[in-house]
Amino acid sequence: MQFKDIIGQSQLKQNLTASVREGHVPHAQMFLGCLGYGGLPLALAYAQYLNCANPQPDDSCGECPSCMKMNKLAHPDLHFSFPFPSVEKRKISTESITEWREVLQVSPYLSLHRWMVKFNAENKQPNIPITECHDVMRRLSFKAYESGYKIMVIWLPEYLGKEGNTLLKILEEPPANTVFLLVAENLETVLNTIISRTQIIKISPIDQQELADALVERQQMQPDEAYRIAGLANGDYIESLDLLNHSAAEHAGLFEQWMNVLLSNKAEPMGMVKFADVFGALGRESQKNFILYSLHMLKEVLHLQVFGKPSSVLTGSEKSVVSDMAGKFNQSKMQRMSDWLNEAHYHVERNASGKMMMLDLSVRIGKLVKPAAAMV
Ligand SMILES: [Zn+2]
C-alpha cells in the first residue's frame, strides 16, 4: 500500500512522511477515526514507508523487495493482530491471516462488518482473546528478519478486553526497532492504559470533493451523483460504498420488475403504465441512477452473449434477469435499447417528465421484444 493509493488525507500523509524523514518514529501510535476515513490504509502505507529501501520524499518506492512484500502483506516483519468471532475455534490472528490478506487485497478500507462476513459470523461478537495477546508478545520476541522495523498493526484495539493489559509493558518498552500501529475508531472503548501509552494520530473525514473524485474513478459514478453521495457519507469512504450498494440493490429490484413487464408473453400495457407511475415517483437523481444501472445491465447481457458469462459479480436474481434478456434481444436490438436509454438519461437530466419518458421507452422496448405489436 502506498500513500498515493489513499483517498485524500494529504496533510496527514505529509506529516507522517516528514516525521520518518526527520527520524522521529514513535514506538506506539494510534490512528484514530472512522474506519472509512482510512486509518488502516494509512497504517499500511506508513509501515511500507518505514521499511522501504528507497523511500521518496512523499511515498515509498513501491518497487524494492521490501515494498513488494509489504504490498502482498507478506513481509516477514509486518505482523497483524485483529478481532475474530469469539465462537471460532481459532485462538490467534495468524490462523486467519489468509482470510485477512484476501479481504485487504479487495480493499484496505475494511469495515468490521465485511470482516465478520468473511467468517459468516456477522451477528457474532468479535474479540481479541488473551491467547492472541500472548501470541503478539511471542511474535515480537523474535529478532527482525530483515534490516528495517518490525511492525505490529493492531486493528480495532477496542476489542481487547482487560486481557489487553498484558500488552502494556511491551507497548511501553518494545524491543528495539519495533513499532506498534494501532487502528482504532472509538477512543471511549479502548482501555485507558493502552491509550496513555500511545501517541494519537487523529484522522479527519475525507474532503467531499476528494471522496467524490475517488467514487468517480473507482466506482465509475457520475460526478454530480458522486459528489452528492460523498456529502451524505460525511467523508467516510466505507459509508459511501454502503450508500451506493444500497441504491444499487433498490435499482436491481426495480429493473427486474421492469423486465418482467417487458419480457412477459402477454401484452402488458397496464403493467407499463403502472411501472411508469413507479418510475415517475422516484427523485430525479434516482431516475438517472436507475437508467445508468439499466445500461450497466445491458452491458452485462452483451458480455454474456459474447463471452458466455457476465463481466462483474452479479447477484442470483441479476443473473437470471441477464440470461432472460440475452435470450430475447439480439445485439442490434440491444444497441437500440442502449441508445434509447442514453437519450432517456439526457432528457431526465433536462427535467423531462420521468413518467412520460418511461412509458414511451417501455412501449418502444416492448415492440422490440414482440415485433408483431409494431403493427398495431
Ligand atoms: Zn520501496
Side-chain angles (χ1 to χ4, degrees):
M1 183 94 212
Q2 285 181 279
F3 285 114
K4 70 173 172 56
D5 300 319
I6 292 169
I7 306 165
Q9 310 294 7
S10 47
Q11 185 60 52
L12 185 50
K13 292 174 191 172
Q14 275 176 30
N15 297 349
L16 288 169
T17 48
S19 69
V20 175
R21 286 199 309 276
E22 289 155 12
H24 177 66
V25 180
H27 64 255
Q29 303 174 62
M30 189 184 307
F31 292 77
L32 178 69
C34 294
L35 289 175
Y37 298 169
L40 182 56
L42 282 161
L44 294 174
Y46 180 76
Q48 181 160 329
Y49 192 68
L50 278 179
N51 276 353
C52 176
N54 186 22
Q56 311 298 302
D58 55 353
D59 213 337
S60 51
C61 74
E63 290 167 354
C64 69
S66 169
C67 281
M68 304 289 269
K69 287 179 226 166
M70 283 283 187
N71 251 331
K72 291 190 217 140
L73 306 172
H75 194 292
D77 294 320
L78 177 64
H79 301 271
F80 293 102
S81 186
F82 40 72
F84 41 91
S86 45
V87 288
E88 281 277 311
K89 292 196 184 66
R90 305 174 194 218
K91 299 271 182 276
I92 54 175
S93 298
T94 17
E95 288 171 313
S96 309
I97 193 69
T98 312
E99 289 90 340
W100 178 254
R101 286 184 187 132
E102 279 170 10
V103 293
L104 293 192
Q105 295 295 357
V106 175
S107 169
Y109 287 84
L110 180 64
S111 67
L112 185 60
H113 177 75
R114 184 156 68 88
W115 177 231
M116 296 302 275
V117 164
K118 188 80 185 164
F119 296 93
N120 293 318
E122 49 267 58
N123 299 319
K124 301 290 189 310
Q125 182 62 27
N127 185 28
I128 303 181
I130 184 74
T131 40
E132 169 62 10
C133 296
H134 290 150
D135 198 57
V136 165
M137 293 192 285
R138 184 190 65 82
R139 283 186 277 163
L140 293 180
S141 66
F142 302 129
K143 264 185 59 185
Y145 285 88
E146 301 189 359
S147 57
Y149 287 93
K150 206 163 161 168
I151 297 154
M152 173 63 73
V153 176
I154 303 183
W155 187 61
L156 296 178
E158 287 92 331
Y159 293 92
L160 279 167
K162 58 182 186 320
E163 296 85 359
N165 285 320
T166 51
L167 294 176
L168 297 183
K169 190 164 180 314
I170 198 167
L171 265 174
E172 201 159 74
E173 287 174 39
N177 290 332
T178 299
V179 174
F180 279 93
L181 303 176
L182 284 66
V183 178
E185 201 168 32
N186 184 2
L187 211 50
E188 281 165 25
T189 47
V190 181
L191 293 171
N192 278 324
T193 44
I194 288 188
I195 297 170
S196 64
R197 284 165 178 80
T198 59
Q199 178 172 323
I200 290 178
I201 297 167
K202 270 203 156 176
I203 307 173
S204 315
I206 303 167
D207 169 78
Q208 184 173 358
Q209 188 58 57
E210 285 173 317
L211 180 52
D213 292 345
L215 290 171
V216 169
E217 190 187 322
R218 301 178 187 205
Q219 307 294 325
Q220 290 81 47
M221 288 189 76
Q222 297 292 311
D224 51 349
E225 177 64 1
Y227 192 76
R228 190 183 69 87
I229 294 267
L232 290 175
N234 295 316
D236 184 316
Y237 182 58
I238 294 173
E239 176 73 29
S240 73
L241 295 186
D242 283 350
L243 287 165
L244 204 62
N245 291 336
H246 183 67
S247 61
E250 276 172 15
H251 293 147
L254 208 56
F255 186 77
E256 195 178 351
Q257 204 181 323
W258 190 31
M259 286 301 123
N260 280 340
V261 170
L262 298 180
L263 303 180
S264 70
N265 293 321
K266 303 186 291 287
E268 278 277 21
M270 273 322 290
M272 288 182 193
V273 173
K274 270 191 206 155
F275 186 81
D277 279 338
V278 171
F279 181 82
L282 298 174
R284 195 158 304 279
E285 287 303 320
S286 281
Q287 291 180 350
K288 277 158 56 186
N289 281 342
F290 175 75
I291 295 168
L292 292 175
Y293 175 83
S294 304
L295 282 164
H296 162 72
M297 292 297 273
L298 288 193
K299 254 187 251 155
E300 293 298 347
V301 174
L302 196 61
H303 209 274
L304 177 68
Q305 288 174 330
V306 176
F307 299 102
K309 59 177 191 333
S311 71
S312 59
V313 181
L314 300 179
T315 65
S317 53
E318 282 178 327
K319 268 187 214 150
S320 81
V321 175
V322 163
S323 71
D324 222 19
M325 289 173 72
K328 300 218 164 143
F329 297 100
N330 61 26
Q331 287 178 23
S332 82
K333 288 181 178 179
M334 297 267 299
Q335 188 52 54
R336 287 171 73 187
M337 259 175 85
S338 159
D339 291 345
W340 292 340
L341 280 163
N342 276 312
E343 274 170 34
H345 187 268
Y346 176 90
H347 289 307
V348 169
E349 202 157 54
R350 279 154 192 77
N351 291 331
S353 151
K355 183 179 163 182
M356 295 314 291
M357 187 283 297
M358 178 48 75
L359 190 57
D360 174 57
L361 190 57
S362 296
V363 170
R364 280 197 271 171
I365 297 175
K367 284 178 182 170
L368 271 190
V369 189
K370 293 187 284 279
M375 309 294 289
V376 178

